[in-house]
Amino acid sequence: MALMLVKFDLKKRVKLAQSVWFMYWFAVLAGVLVFSMGLFFKIELRKRSELMDNNESHFLPNLLIFMGLIACGINTFGGKVCYDSLDPTKFAKWKPMLKSFLVFCVVFNALLFVTALLCFLMRIPLQFTLAEGLRNGMKYYKDTDTPGRCYMKRTLDLMQMEFRCCGNDNYRDWFEIQWVSNRYLDFSAKEVKDRIGSNVDGQYLMDGVPFSCCNPSSPRPCIQLQMTNNSAHYSYDHYTEELNVWKRGCRYALLSYYGGMMNTIGALVILVIMLEIAVTVGMQYVNSSLSTLANPEDPESESEGWILEKTVKETFTDIMDKMKAMGKGGKVEEGGEAAVATVS
C-alpha cells in the first residue's frame, strides 16, 4: 500500500505542477537567503578576526554559503522539471534522472538540518575561542609599534566602545596586564620603578583601564586610573560608588551578539528546510503521478501519486535488503579475486 496515495486527473496534475513550480522559485529565493546569511556572518567574524583564537569559527559561514549555492542550483533544476512536466515530450528527457534527483534532495535536506543544528551548537566552541582570543588581544594592546599587532589597540578600543564592555570577563582583567607601552613610560621615575619591581614578570601594572571602557552616560567624569585608590578622587569609594566604566566583559558581549545572530540564522534555516521538504514531496507527487498514467498515450487519463510506493516499514526493509545484497556482492568479488591470486 502506497504512503499518502492521491488520485489525479489532468486538471489536478496541471495544478500540482504549477503549484510546485511556484514553490520552487520561492525555494530559490530561500537559497539566496541562506547564501546571504552565510556571507553576512563571515563578514561579521572577519571584522574581529584578530580577537578569534582560530580559523575554525569560519567553518559555519562557509558551510552556509555552500549550502545556499547548492539550494539555488537544485531548486532551479526542480523548477525547470516542473515547468516541462506540463509537456509529456519535454518531461520524458528528465524522467530517468528524477529518482536520483529526489534522493539527492533528501540527502541535501538532511545536511541542511545538520547545518541548522551547528548554528545552535556553535555558541559552545565560540565561547572558548573568544576567551583565548581576547586574552591574547589584551596582551598585545600596548604593542602599537610591533608589525602585525599595531592595530590591536584600535580594534579593542572600537570593540569596547561599540559593545559597551570592558576586559575579557570584566574590567579588572586590565589590572593583571601591562596595557601601556614602554615607549610612554619614564623608567627614571620612582613610581614606574616601584610598579615594575612589585611583580615577578616586571610589568607595569596598575589599577586602571583604557579610555574606551568609560561609560559616556555617567554624570561623573570618567575615573579610569587609580580605580581602587579612594584617596585619589574626591568623594569616592570604589566599593560602594557606582563605577563609570562598563562592567560587562567583552567575551559575554560578543558571545551574546554572535549567539543571537546564530540562533536567528538557525531558525531561518529550519524554515528553509520546511520549504525544501514541501517542494521535494511535491516533486515526488509530480513524478509518481506522471509515471502511473492509466494510458501513457492519453495525457488526460487518470493516475495515482504517492510519497512512497510502499509503507515506511516496507521501504525501510527493502533498503536494508539492498544494502545487505551489496555487502554480499562485495564479499563475493573479494573472494573471487583472492582465488584468482591463489591460482596464479
Side-chain angles (χ1 to χ4, degrees), residues 44 52 89 99 114 119 127 134 147 162-163 167 179 201 210 217:
E44 286 299 302
M52 304 286 179
T89 55
K99 191 172 183 180
V114 172
C119 287
Q127 182 174 356
L134 284 168
E162 180 183 353
F163 289 94
W179 53 271
D201 296 325
S217 301

Side-chain angles (χ1 to χ4, degrees), residues 91-281:
F91 181 73
K93 65 181 179 181
W94 302 118
K95 193 173 180 181
M97 63 181 76
L98 272 185
K99 191 172 183 180
S100 300
F101 172 71
L102 288 165
V103 171
F104 180 78
C105 288
V106 172
V107 174
F108 174 75
N109 288 334
L111 291 174
L112 208 54
F113 177 76
V114 172
T115 304
L117 197 62
L118 288 174
C119 287
F120 295 115
L121 295 178
M122 191 186 166
R123 185 186 181 96
I124 300 170
L126 186 62
Q127 182 174 356
F128 297 104
T129 297
L130 284 171
E132 189 63 29
L134 284 168
R135 192 178 297 116
N136 291 333
M138 291 172 65
K139 192 187 303 179
Y140 302 141
Y141 181 88
K142 67 180 186 302
D143 298 341
T144 51
D145 298 325
T146 305
R149 299 176 186 171
C150 53
Y151 292 107
M152 187 58 72
K153 178 184 181 299
R154 179 177 179 274
T155 300
L156 278 167
D157 284 334
L158 289 175
M159 178 200 66
Q160 291 190 143
M161 289 187 288
E162 180 183 353
F163 289 94
R164 299 185 174 188
C165 59
C166 186
N168 192 341
D169 293 320
N170 55 62
Y171 68 93
R172 288 184 173 271
D173 293 330
W174 289 108
F175 297 180
E176 300 171 4
I177 62 167
Q178 178 181 337
W179 53 271
V180 177
S181 174
N182 289 338
R183 179 182 178 182
Y184 305 107
L185 296 176
D186 181 6
F187 286 93
S188 63
K190 184 178 183 301
E191 182 192 356
V192 174
K193 289 180 180 178
D194 290 343
R195 285 188 181 276
I196 291 175
S198 64
N199 65 89
V200 293
D201 296 325
Q203 293 185 329
Y204 181 75
L205 304 181
M206 58 181 179
D207 53 345
V209 297
F211 78 97
S212 53
C213 284
C214 293
N215 179 359
S217 301
S218 174
R220 180 170 187 159
C222 186
I223 298 176
Q224 66 177 107
L225 301 176
Q226 295 182 306
M227 295 175 65
T228 59
N229 185 359
N230 293 336
S231 61
H233 312 283
Y234 176 73
S235 185
Y236 175 76
D237 183 353
H238 78 278
Y239 289 111
T240 59
E241 183 82 8
E242 184 69 23
L243 296 177
N244 50 11
V245 297
W246 304 117
K247 298 181 184 64
R248 184 171 65 157
C250 291
R251 176 160 60 99
Y252 303 111
L254 287 172
L255 194 61
S256 176
Y257 174 71
Y258 285 121
M261 188 186 299
M262 288 184 293
N263 288 341
T264 302
I265 292 173
L268 288 172
V269 171
I270 288 176
L271 292 176
V272 172
I273 292 170
M274 294 169 66
L275 179 59
E276 290 291 343
I277 291 172
V279 294
T280 302
V281 170

Side-chain angles (χ1 to χ4, degrees), residues 300-319:
E300 297 187 6
S301 60
E302 292 189 348
S303 62
E304 295 179 341
W306 55 72
I307 295 178
L308 293 175
E309 192 172 357
K310 300 178 182 178
T311 63
V312 175
K313 184 178 179 181
E314 290 172 341
T315 303
F316 180 75
T317 304
D318 287 348
I319 292 171

